[in-house]
Amino acid sequence: MTFSPPAPPAFADCTPRQKAARVLSDALAPAHLVVALLLLVGWHSTTSWTGLGRGLLAALFCGVVPIGIIALGAAGAR
């Protein structure tokens, strides 16, 4: 006999407190913070469009691509 936890409720069925917790958890996820931090560091390094472009390039390869691969893998596993 194995234990399987109950499925979490759908977002529409959640209480306002649960909805706020989900939104906050998604917004402060480490992957999203990495992308924002790379953009911020890129801008702060030169305070020009060049630095922001380099930050965007770093964010693309260090954050967006890995998140996309994980999302595709999770969607395929269903």
Side-chain angles (χ1 to χ4, degrees), residues 1 6 10 42 44 47 49 52 55 57 69-70 73 78:
M1 175 180 237
H44 189 267
T47 61
W49 290 105
L52 187 59
L57 183 67
I69 291 171
I70 291 170
R78 290 182 190 169

Side-chain angles (χ1 to χ4, degrees), residues 2-73:
T2 60
F3 173 76
S4 59
F11 189 76
D13 299 332
C14 291
T15 65
R17 188 174 181 168
Q18 289 172 325
K19 287 180 182 180
R22 282 191 181 185
V23 168
L24 189 63
S25 295
D26 288 342
L28 296 177
H32 300 134
L33 292 178
V34 164
V35 171
L37 186 63
L38 287 169
L39 292 173
L40 184 66
V41 167
W43 172 258
H44 189 267
S45 66
T46 62
T47 61
S48 70
W49 290 105
T50 303
L52 187 59
R54 290 179 181 165
L56 185 61
L57 183 67
L60 177 71
F61 288 109
C62 295
V64 176
V65 171
I67 294 169
I69 291 171
I70 291 170
L72 286 173

